[in-house]
Amino acid sequence: ILRHAQHSQNGKSRVVKHTMMVNGMLFTKMQHRLGAALALVAIILSTLPKGTWGQRTACASDEDCPGTTTCIADQDLGERFCSNPFRSGCLQNKVKSANFNKIRVCNSDDPEGAAKQGLCRTPFPAEAFEIRLFSLNWDSARFQVWLLQIILSELLDVPTTLETGHSNAKINFYHPTSALDAGNSQDLEALINGDQVGDCRVLRGANRLAALDEINGVPHEEGRPYTSCAHFISEVWDTSLDRTQDLVFRGVLEPPQALGVLGQEGWYIPKFLAQKEPALLSYLGLQGQENRQKLAETFKRPTTWGEYCSLVSKNNCSAPDGVATRAPENDWELDRMFDEENGAYIGHFRATAKNNCTLFPENCTGHIADYPCGWSSYTQAQAYHLGIALSGDGPAPSGGYSYFQLRELWLAANATKENVIMQWWSPEALYQNFQGTDAEFVRVSLPAPSQECLRYRVSPGERCSENFEDRVGDPRGVCDESVRPLSKLVISRLQRILDDDSIPEAIRSPAYEALSMFSFSELQLDEIFALWKDLKDPRDAVCTWAAENLDLYLKQFVPYQYPRVYQNGDEMGVLSSVSISLGSATVLLVLWVACLVYRHQKESAIRLAQVEFLALLLVGSFFTASSSILAGSPATDGTCVAEMWFVDMGYTLGLVPLTVKIGAVHRIIAASERHQRLNIPRSRLFGYVALICALTIVFLMLCTLIDPPQKTASYTLTEDTVESGETIVEKQHFCDTDSSVWRLIPILWYMVLLFISSVIAFQVRNIRSDFSESRSLPMLIYSHFIFAVLRLITYADVVDGDDFTMRQLRSLIVSSDTLAAIAIYFMPKIVDTFRGKEQQTQILGEQPVETRKGYEQSSAVLKSSLSPQKQPSPHAREGPLVSEREGGVIACLSSPPISDLSKAIEDLSSTGSIGDSIAYGPNIVLPGTALTMATEKTSRQSSPTTSSTRITPLYRDTTIVDDSVVDKNQGDPELANIDGSKKDDDMKPLVSSLQEQVLEQQETIALLRKQLRNAEEKH
């Protein structure tokens, strides 16, 4: 509830707090109005862990610092201290090997520009998730999180920081000036906050403001709150608490995992006392009224440095007296039991009124040192229900002391050889340091533990209650502590964050796996404690042990295929070269086809397919082929944007006209079946194309401005390793946007267009086979649809492969799509063009001179008969007779099909102005302003195997049939005029002249057709 800021000052911690000395000798500044509230604050704060765990070396210059360390300023305190020798890493400092010459990765506690200064290196990737470990405030727990920080930051390249629960308590192993401040003993709220926010760095800004408030002495109720945050806690002693179990049940925490350390708590006395009074080693020698006076005389009350100078010293410590050489200089020294650093106070034990059995024979007690009430301790309840005359004298309701006071109390007892009994635990540094000495910890046995005893123990809240009966609880809950396996806690969300499917396998953090595997033992802790005793510096002890046990211990927590080294992959490999080559070949093919179309645009095979339509398809094919070259090339921000524009505009120009055309064909076929006139203005067809192209451009502009595709790294995990054993991850680049919506919308839209076109193409699949596009258009649509599905698959992670490889595959798919379109739609027209010229030359060359002359004359007569009107529009290979009328076209068809390879038939079918009207298929004519069709397909009764088309009479008394058969008396009165209007008297002279010329030329046409069929069979 209450906060205090800790500031290191020459290796000591200055605690900004509100305190009150009971005897009134020394008061600090009071900031609470009510005296009772102030007293409560002093009691609670005295139980909070405070102080430093080591000593920083103050300095004025580099000459004052040992070894290679330098004198630097502490950013928080503004004072100068010697730098941390392990600031840039432990292993590269201790391990003399080329394999560990790299410095650690940076974390959020490092100052800005630390990487540029060479203090650390930027993690890879730069946005790597940072792990926050909670550091409990006792030695063994700190050593474990330090080892984890070394493993994660130096072996696995995972940014790692430490949380203490206090805004100004620093314990980071890599702290610039080796700060060793103490934090909280337990903080499940930090894990709750870590599960809520995920990345603890998001709280950094607000917590910095909270730290400034505490440094400036802003009262807690007015200052900004500090929010602790962590993902992991090591060495949890009691996971059976309701609070912990509730968090596990709610999914905030994973079930507790075994740490590997076996812990044991209990009552301890020094070895020299146990040898002198062996009866004290059992509760049986302690309990009972008969032992009350003995305990009161044996275990005196410890005295703090401030109390000694104010209550015991005759000169208030103004001169050395064998116990204190001087008075305390700050708040921190006031509460100290022993000055370990300078020996200015060796501790003192005295008998107080509580030890006086003469005055209080029924209530006198000896002293027992207990944990703070927030820790798992049952000392008060055990002493009360077992009838042992011992009580604590600390400031907490339970009589407990802070961790540092307990530690110094044992040191003072050893220095003064005073008797002491204390609640303590192992493994722990103090416990280990006194092994083998006369002050060695010797355990006092209590009643054996049982499941019933554990069930009736007081709860954590009751241990800190103001009510004595609540603190002592049920007598059935009194027993000794059993050896227990210590645990570690991890938030459940951590695995989900680190193993998210959006993170490529090659760059996933190994932190969760390393934390899950991490374990430790009491023997390993004992070795570190022994090194600490010799080296004096806890960081040096941990780092030395880590370097000596690198292969045997640290590396066992490195997951398979870690650590990893990132190398630039070959972005111009075989696949890239093939995709660029294929794309280039496709571009050249498109340009070649475009030249042929332009050169032979007046040939019927090209002309009848509409040159404007072919031009749109060729422009789109050029764009898509160009995009395949860009997709196969190394990615840059510029090429990524260009690729997006080329491929989307290419498919727009390639698919939209195709959809519009196949839709028009379907409408025309449907109209012909109903014998209806159908007008489709050319401007409407091109308007559809222009509108969708404009919408595509708007979409591309929005994408370019809002979320443009950018050069993005792709990582591929390989099986190869470097000499130092690191697994190689190849780094390549591809194009990607922040949101996948921008890349999926176009391809889904194209698939919708293709699906609609495919349905229409299926419906018109059975129209006349002599319609030159009755097969190619559906085939082209089906081809585009298949390749669109393949492109979509490369975005949907259906096939295995990294993003770089998928980009190359998309390049090949686009190139193949374009090649297929050229082969299906354009190549047959080009082949027909060249084949028609060759056969025309061969057939006419075989005719007698008289026949050719007769044909030329007939052709001339036919042409002259149509003058001075515009020449009729050309038609497909069947050679229809066409007449234009007021901007519309009347198409009269004959059957069976006549090959346009014959010049004679070509002249009959193509006489007229090409620019005014364009034939579209065997029975459709697309004029400049409208489409008109009037046909009726019937079966020839004279021959069941031959089909013919009965021509709708232009006028009631005129009908043209195939193969020179003319009957002027036949006609359909219902179709006297193709558009259903009255007869046009202005057309009668032209039609009559036309019919007469046709009758005269009928025999010549029949002869030419017969010769043509013979030539085709021979060919």
Side-chain angles (χ1 to χ4, degrees):
I1 299 176
L2 300 171
R3 299 185 178 278
H4 63 281
Q6 296 178 323
H7 313 287
S8 295
Q9 181 180 8
N10 296 332
K12 308 172 181 63
S13 178
R14 178 168 51 85
V15 182
V16 181
K17 61 178 182 176
H18 310 295
T19 187
M20 180 178 70
M21 300 296 295
V22 177
N23 291 308
M25 294 297 297
L26 180 64
F27 291 87
T28 60
K29 181 180 180 180
M30 298 183 181
Q31 295 186 1
H32 289 274
R33 297 178 180 178
L34 300 177
L38 178 61
L40 178 61
V41 168
I43 291 173
I44 297 178
L45 284 175
S46 64
T47 66
L48 292 174
K50 54 186 179 289
T52 60
W53 183 42
Q55 183 171 358
R56 287 190 282 184
T57 305
C59 61
S61 64
D62 293 345
E63 296 178 354
D64 299 331
C65 298
T68 59
T69 60
T70 58
C71 188
I72 61 175
D74 187 284
Q75 293 182 343
D76 297 327
L77 301 179
E79 302 176 16
R80 297 179 66 83
F81 298 94
C82 292
S83 63
N84 181 357
F86 310 110
R87 186 179 183 184
S88 294
C90 161
L91 299 179
Q92 60 93 25
N93 185 297
K94 289 286 186 179
V95 179
K96 305 303 179 182
S97 170
N99 295 341
F100 291 95
N101 56 1
K102 62 181 182 180
I103 57 179
R104 65 174 176 89
V105 295
C106 301
N107 57 60
S108 60
D109 283 347
D110 291 314
E112 294 184 5
K116 293 182 179 179
Q117 299 173 19
L119 299 177
C120 55
R121 55 189 170 88
T122 304
F124 192 87
E127 62 276 8
F129 188 84
E130 181 176 275
I131 298 298
R132 185 74 58 86
L133 309 175
F134 194 93
S135 176
L136 300 173
N137 60 1
W138 57 85
D139 307 329
S140 56
R142 293 191 188 97
F143 290 163
Q144 292 164 35
V145 296
W146 275 359
L147 285 171
L148 273 172
Q149 194 172 21
I150 292 172
I151 293 170
L152 294 173
S153 299
E154 301 185 34
L155 292 181
L156 298 176
D157 296 344
V158 177
T160 309
T161 54
L162 303 184
E163 174 67 71
T164 62
H166 290 176
S167 60
N168 289 296
K170 309 299 181 183
I171 199 67
N172 193 328
F173 182 82
Y174 307 111
H175 189 275
T177 59
S178 303
L180 289 167
D181 301 328
N184 287 342
S185 60
Q186 188 75 292
D187 195 349
L188 292 179
E189 284 299 324
L191 295 180
I192 296 174
N193 295 331
D195 183 74
Q196 291 177 348
V197 303
D199 191 347
C200 293
R201 290 174 292 188
V202 302
L203 302 173
R204 183 171 178 80
N207 285 340
R208 282 182 173 178
L209 298 177
L212 289 176
D213 287 347
E214 292 194 4
I215 291 176
N216 296 328
V218 178
H220 169 66
E221 63 273 9
E222 299 177 8
R224 284 160 287 200
Y226 175 81
T227 304
S228 60
C229 181
H231 307 116
F232 176 89
I233 292 182
S234 178
E235 197 173 308
V236 178
W237 281 71
D238 192 354
T239 60
S240 63
L241 301 177
D242 292 341
R243 175 69 163 162
T244 304
Q245 293 300 316
D246 178 63
L247 293 177
V248 173
F249 177 77
R250 287 162 45 194
V252 175
L253 301 179
E254 291 187 354
Q257 303 176 30
L259 179 63
V261 178
L262 295 177
Q264 188 170 29
E265 297 177 286
W267 293 5
Y268 292 90
I269 61 175
K271 183 179 180 180
F272 61 79
L273 176 60
Q275 292 174 334
K276 183 171 57 176
E277 296 286 347
L280 300 179
L281 293 177
S282 171
Y283 74 97
L284 298 176
L286 298 173
Q287 63 184 173
Q289 187 67 21
E290 64 275 14
N291 290 316
R292 177 178 295 275
Q293 183 171 356
K294 176 182 178 181
L295 295 178
E297 294 174 352
T298 303
F299 300 108
K300 300 177 182 178
R301 260 69 185 177
T303 305
T304 65
W305 195 348
E307 291 173 339
Y308 177 80
C309 292
S310 61
L311 301 177
V312 179
S313 176
K314 296 180 180 180
N315 56 18
N316 292 331
C317 299
S318 59
D321 60 2
V323 176
T325 60
R326 57 175 178 82
E329 295 178 347
N330 51 51
D331 293 346
W332 160 241
E333 290 186 344
L334 285 174
D335 294 332
R336 298 197 67 177
M337 299 288 187
F338 183 81
D339 181 15
E340 184 179 4
E341 295 82 11
N342 304 309
Y345 178 64
I346 64 171
H348 181 73
F349 293 82
R350 60 192 174 93
T352 66
K354 294 181 180 180
N355 297 81
N356 192 336
C357 292
T358 302
L359 295 176
F360 307 102
E362 300 297 327
N363 297 321
C364 63
T365 59
H367 179 266
I368 184 170
D370 191 13
Y371 293 161
C373 66
W375 290 22
S376 298
S377 173
Y378 310 94
T379 300
Q380 190 173 33
Q382 291 166 337
Y384 176 77
H385 289 296
L386 291 176
I388 300 175
L390 293 173
S391 64
D393 208 29
S398 62
Y401 297 88
S402 71
Y403 165 73
F404 290 99
Q405 287 179 315
L406 290 172
R407 186 175 183 277
E408 291 177 348
L409 193 151
W410 193 273
L411 295 174
N414 176 62
T416 60
K417 297 305 177 185
E418 288 284 351
N419 300 324
V420 63
I421 185 170
M422 185 172 73
Q423 174 83 5
W424 204 243
W425 77 95
S426 68
E428 199 275 333
L430 186 69
Y431 181 95
Q432 175 63 27
N433 289 342
F434 280 97
Q435 290 295 100
T437 69
D438 62 346
E440 177 180 322
F441 283 76
V442 180
R443 195 164 184 273
V444 177
S445 64
L446 298 177
S450 65
Q451 190 62 38
E452 180 186 26
C453 174
L454 298 179
R455 185 163 49 249
Y456 285 101
R457 278 182 168 177
V458 294
S459 66
E462 293 171 335
R463 289 197 294 265
C464 295
S465 174
E466 293 292 334
N467 189 305
F468 177 78
E469 293 182 356
D470 291 339
R471 294 199 302 272
V472 297
D474 194 308
R476 291 174 293 181
V478 174
C479 58
D480 206 347
E481 297 284 351
S482 61
V483 177
R484 68 177 75 176
L486 306 186
S487 303
K488 53 187 177 183
L489 296 177
V490 185
I491 64 170
S492 300
R493 188 180 176 186
L494 183 61
Q495 184 179 18
R496 298 195 300 270
I497 293 174
L498 299 183
D499 293 342
D500 190 272
D501 292 338
S502 63
I503 304 175
E505 173 64 29
I507 60 172
R508 287 186 182 177
S509 172
Y512 176 80
E513 192 172 354
L515 293 175
S516 298
M517 293 190 298
F518 180 76
S519 63
F520 216 51
S521 70
E522 313 91 89
L523 297 179
Q524 292 167 328
L525 280 172
D526 289 345
E527 291 180 350
I528 297 179
F529 293 149
L531 286 172
W532 183 18
K533 183 177 181 180
D534 295 337
L535 299 174
K536 308 301 182 185
D537 182 2
R539 281 185 172 85
D540 195 7
V542 171
C543 185
T544 299
W545 188 89
E548 293 175 352
N549 294 271
L550 176 62
D551 295 325
L552 295 177
Y553 175 72
L554 268 65
K555 286 188 176 181
Q556 67 176 307
F557 307 125
V558 175
Y560 174 67
Q561 290 190 320
Y562 287 93
R564 296 173 178 176
V565 60
Y566 297 87
Q567 298 180 355
N568 290 325
D570 184 8
E571 297 193 355
M572 286 302 296
V574 175
L575 191 58
S576 297
S577 300
V578 172
S579 59
I580 294 175
S581 300
L582 185 60
S584 302
T586 306
V587 169
L588 295 176
L589 178 61
V590 171
L591 294 176
W592 178 71
V593 171
C595 292
L596 291 178
V597 169
Y598 177 77
R599 182 177 179 181
H600 302 283
Q601 58 181 310
K602 295 186 179 181
E603 302 295 336
S604 62
I606 303 298
R607 187 183 67 251
L608 300 181
Q610 302 185 63
V611 176
E612 296 92 336
F613 172 75
L614 298 180
L616 290 175
L617 295 185
L618 287 171
V619 172
S621 298
F622 176 79
F623 283 170
T624 54
S626 300
S627 71
S628 67
I629 298 177
L630 295 174
S633 305
T636 64
D637 290 343
T639 58
C640 288
V641 175
E643 178 190 344
M644 175 187 68
W645 277 80
F646 272 98
V647 72
D648 288 348
M649 286 303 302
Y651 275 108
T652 299
L653 293 173
L655 297 180
V656 175
L658 185 62
T659 304
V660 171
K661 183 171 184 177
I662 196 68
V665 172
H666 179 262
R667 295 181 61 189
I668 292 170
I669 298 300
S672 71
E673 293 176 353
R674 297 189 299 269
H675 302 287
Q676 294 179 349
R677 178 189 177 99
L678 180 64
N679 293 322
I680 304 179
R682 179 189 298 262
S683 59
R684 182 185 300 174
L685 300 179
F686 285 105
Y688 293 151
V689 178
L691 176 61
I692 297 179
C693 287
L695 293 177
T696 302
I697 292 175
V698 171
F699 173 82
L700 291 173
M701 292 178 64
L702 290 175
C703 182
T704 304
L705 294 175
I706 299 175
D707 188 11
Q710 296 178 332
K711 176 182 177 181
T712 307
S714 171
Y715 305 95
T716 304
L717 182 63
T718 70
E719 297 293 334
D720 301 328
T721 59
V722 296
E723 184 178 354
S724 58
E726 296 170 310
T727 303
I728 296 176
V729 174
E730 289 188 350
K731 177 183 177 183
Q732 297 169 313
H733 296 90
F734 67 103
C735 299
D736 196 14
T737 56
D738 293 337
S739 174
S740 60
V741 174
W742 299 102
R743 65 185 182 185
L744 292 179
I745 286 179
I747 190 170
L748 291 177
W749 165 242
Y750 299 145
M751 291 190 68
V752 170
L753 289 178
L754 289 170
F755 178 77
I756 296 173
S757 301
S758 299
V759 173
I760 298 174
F762 181 80
Q763 293 176 350
V764 302
R765 70 192 185 283
N766 292 325
I767 65 174
R768 298 174 49 151
S769 62
D770 53 334
F771 174 23
S772 58
E773 297 188 340
S774 63
R775 294 292 181 264
S776 59
L777 281 177
M779 285 297 297
L780 181 59
I781 292 171
Y782 299 152
S783 172
H784 280 315
F785 189 85
I786 292 173
F787 284 108
V789 172
L790 293 177
R791 286 183 63 212
L792 185 62
I793 290 175
T794 63
Y795 285 115
D797 295 332
V798 177
V799 295
D800 294 333
D802 58 275
D803 293 317
F804 175 80
T805 303
M806 291 298 102
R807 183 172 182 244
Q808 313 305 312
L809 290 179
R810 284 191 288 273
S811 172
L812 295 175
I813 291 172
V814 171
S815 296
S816 302
D817 192 5
T818 307
L819 289 174
I822 297 294
I824 293 172
Y825 192 71
F826 287 94
M827 295 309 296
K829 302 182 185 302
I830 295 174
V831 171
D832 287 347
T833 298
F834 286 102
R835 183 184 299 171
K837 288 187 175 182
E838 178 182 354
Q839 292 185 359
Q840 173 183 305
T841 302
Q842 294 175 353
I843 293 172
L844 293 182
E846 296 174 357
Q847 307 303 320
V849 176
E850 294 78 3
T851 303
R852 293 201 300 271
K853 287 182 178 180
Y855 169 74
E856 291 171 0
Q857 293 174 357
S858 301
S859 179
V861 172
L862 178 61
K863 292 180 180 179
S864 64
S865 68
L866 297 176
S867 300
Q869 301 291 333
K870 291 183 179 181
Q871 300 296 330
S873 298
H875 197 269
R877 307 167 198 174
E878 300 181 47
L881 300 179
V882 181
S883 174
E884 295 193 2
R885 171 176 169 273
E886 296 181 359
V889 173
I890 300 173
C892 303
L893 307 180
S894 60
S895 180
I898 301 172
S899 173
D900 58 3
L901 299 178
S902 170
K903 187 175 187 303
I905 308 305
E906 179 70 11
D907 282 350
L908 289 176
S909 62
S910 62
T911 303
S913 174
I914 295 176
D916 294 333
S917 59
I918 301 174
Y920 185 42
N923 54 357
I924 303 167
V925 175
L926 300 183
T929 58
L931 299 175
T932 306
M933 182 181 64
T935 65
E936 180 180 358
K937 190 172 182 180
T938 61
S939 300
R940 176 174 296 182
Q941 299 178 358
S942 59
S943 175
T945 60
T946 306
S947 65
S948 65
T949 301
R950 179 164 65 86
I951 306 304
T952 301
L954 298 177
Y955 292 96
R956 187 180 302 279
D957 60 346
T958 305
T959 303
I960 304 173
V961 296
D962 192 22
D963 295 335
S964 69
V965 178
V966 178
D967 186 352
K968 294 185 178 180
N969 298 321
Q970 293 182 0
D972 187 349
E974 297 300 325
L975 295 175
N977 198 328
I978 193 168
D979 58 359
S981 63
K982 66 180 181 177
K983 297 180 180 180
D984 191 344
D985 294 337
D986 295 336
M987 290 294 292
K988 285 183 179 181
L990 174 61
V991 173
S992 298
S993 175
L994 174 62
Q995 297 301 322
E996 292 174 358
Q997 297 297 328
V998 170
L999 291 174
E1000 295 174 357
Q1001 299 298 327
Q1002 202 62 247
E1003 293 180 358
T1004 303
I1005 293 174
L1007 177 61
L1008 291 174
R1009 286 180 173 171
K1010 182 176 180 180
Q1011 294 175 349
L1012 176 60
R1013 293 190 185 100
N1014 294 336
E1016 287 176 339
E1017 292 175 358
K1018 180 179 179 181
H1019 179 72

